[in-house]
Amino acid sequence: MRLLLIEDDDRIAGPLTEGLGRYGYTVDRARTGAAGLADAAASPDLVLLDLGLPDMDGLDVCRSLRAKSGVPIIMITARGEEADRIVGLELGADDYLAKPFGVRELVARIRAVTRRTTGALPVDSPEPAGPPAGPGGGAQRLGPLEIDRRTRQVRLDGGEISLTPREFDLLSYLAQDPGAVHSRQQIMDAVWDPHFFGPTKTLDAHVAALRRKLEDPRWITTARGVGFRLTDPAQDMPSEASG
């Protein structure tokens, strides 16, 4: 598997390249955003993208990559602000990893993202059973929201919503049992990976991005101390605050 690492810091790029090589990955490195965009034309299997590049913002690199390709993107960044994570995910990144991190954690993220984007699943992580399909394998409807798992398309009030692969998987999982509370661990195991290493803040960032795209935070409500659930805001169902 060939990775493209877009990272200007030699102190990070060197150990990462060496460490990933021990896991069998071939790593091509670009030191600037412009060089990374040029190297991406060679169609790497996955891009590791630093946000703090010397010539351009990594978010702009992410936007340009996603406009041209569906290559999986993992952001690696020292930025801890939630806003940066949400923007990156909305621009099409598949995951993010905050510095400092270990090579084993990064490898786990790479494997998880690869499984999700290629459709392959680990033996010990079976595909969750979706809701019964309608005649002819029709889409699931929840009020004005329509989720078509066959085509991986989502529509709200008839208009298509553009979701990243991980956002679709999260929404699809929550929609299997509308109104039911799914614990954070259940969601991480089903949508990410049972062997996911790292903070669950990535789940919060994806939930926040989905709420923005669904144009009403009440679609995904928070059961404080437990997890999340999907509900139709038009239904008068009792719920906790969506913060």
Side-chain angles (χ1 to χ4, degrees), residues 29-75:
R29 180 196 173 189
R31 289 178 168 80
T32 65
L37 290 173
D39 291 349
S43 301
D45 297 304
L46 184 144
V47 173
L48 302 173
L49 173 62
D50 179 29
L51 295 189
L53 297 169
D55 60 333
M56 58 193 301
D57 194 295
L59 294 175
D60 292 328
V61 177
C62 181
R63 181 186 293 109
S64 297
L65 284 172
R66 187 52 73 233
K68 300 175 181 177
S69 168
V71 62
I73 301 171
I74 298 179
M75 300 184 299

Side-chain angles (χ1 to χ4, degrees), residues 211-229:
R211 284 172 172 161
R212 290 167 59 113
K213 292 185 178 182
L214 292 173
E215 300 177 353
D216 189 333
R218 294 176 298 166
W219 273 107
I220 302 177
T221 56
T222 302
R224 296 193 183 281
V226 183
F228 301 96
R229 64 184 168 199

Side-chain angles (χ1 to χ4, degrees), residues 141-162:
R141 294 181 183 274
L142 182 62
L145 183 66
E146 178 183 322
I147 302 170
D148 192 327
R149 291 175 175 82
R150 185 178 63 83
T151 62
R152 295 181 68 84
Q153 291 179 311
V154 176
R155 294 179 178 83
L156 182 64
D157 291 321
E160 186 170 350
I161 299 175
S162 178

